[in-house]
Amino acid sequence: MKKIICKKEYDTETATLIKKHTVSYYGDPAGYEETLYQTPEGLYFVYVCGGEASPYPCEDITRLAKTKVNEWIETH
């Protein structure tokens, strides 16, 4: 997935996967995945997707500040 946020491109195809957090199993309507990536420019973002009953029924990308990366890793 690719998304432009504040004139910066965040692309799961070109970024480096740092950590993936999965809740439940594939096909569970309440299950979801949160995946932390780093862009070639050093920016961080989280890609989310899940079932229709999950917190992420539609796939999306959100930015993550460098100061929040370690906290995200520790809590996921």
Side-chain angles (χ1 to χ4, degrees), residues 40-57:
E41 295 78 24
L43 302 173
Y44 292 90
F45 67 94
V46 178
Y47 167 77
V48 296
C49 65
E52 58 191 39
S54 77
Y56 310 112

Side-chain angles (χ1 to χ4, degrees), residues 6-76:
C6 297
K7 300 182 182 179
K8 303 276 185 187
E9 182 177 274
Y10 298 87
D11 186 351
T12 57
E13 295 292 319
T14 59
T16 302
L17 188 150
I18 306 294
K19 184 176 181 181
K20 182 181 276 192
H21 174 70
T22 303
V23 174
S24 197
Y25 57 90
Y26 182 79
D28 178 5
Y32 61 91
E33 289 184 348
E34 300 171 313
T35 310
L36 175 64
Y37 287 92
Q38 183 178 22
T39 69
E41 295 78 24
L43 302 173
Y44 292 90
F45 67 94
V46 178
Y47 167 77
V48 296
C49 65
E52 58 191 39
S54 77
Y56 310 112
C58 298
E59 66 178 349
D60 197 14
I61 288 177
T62 58
R63 297 182 300 169
L64 186 64
K66 289 181 183 181
T67 58
K68 299 289 184 182
V69 171
N70 286 336
E71 179 182 330
W72 190 95
I73 291 171
E74 290 173 5
T75 59
H76 290 82

